[in-house]
Amino acid sequence: MKLSIQKWGNGAAVRLQRPLLRQIQCEIGETLEVEVVDGGLFLRPTRKPEFSLDELLESCTPEKVGLDDEDREWLEDAPQGKEI
């Protein structure tokens, strides 16, 4: 398949036809990563990983977050205003 580079404002654009978008499982408005490989362009859909709340909370240990005891002192403090 051949695509042409067209002027778009001060830049350039390449149009991707719907059959090509279907092949890479992308829709209009999604984001592609681009990489130069051997003098050519390699386009890859960026997929956001999906995590459950439990998975995210599981990864929030003090060791992984990098908090030491001094950073955690505020957790022990009594309320100072109308927090409750």
Side-chain angles (χ1 to χ4, degrees):
M1 174 184 292
K2 290 186 179 183
L3 303 173
S4 63
I5 301 172
Q6 299 175 347
K7 184 171 174 43
W8 190 13
N10 290 331
V14 175
R15 288 187 195 182
L16 304 176
Q17 290 85 12
R18 285 199 184 275
L20 188 56
L21 290 175
R22 275 195 291 268
Q23 284 182 333
I24 64 171
Q25 299 175 349
C26 275
E27 295 179 13
I28 293 172
E30 290 190 48
T31 306
L32 298 173
E33 262 184 63
V34 63
E35 187 178 339
V36 178
V37 178
D38 296 328
L41 295 179
F42 179 73
L43 300 173
R44 173 185 312 118
T46 55
R47 307 276 189 228
K48 292 182 182 179
E50 294 184 23
F51 299 102
S52 69
L53 179 58
D54 289 336
E55 290 172 319
L56 292 172
L57 292 174
E58 190 175 292
S59 69
C60 293
T61 63
E63 298 80 28
K64 289 183 181 177
V65 176
L67 295 177
D68 57 21
D69 290 338
E70 187 176 306
D71 292 327
R72 299 179 58 79
E73 284 179 5
W74 65 271
L75 292 171
E76 314 299 322
D77 290 346
Q80 300 296 310
K82 299 180 180 179
E83 293 96 339
I84 298 178

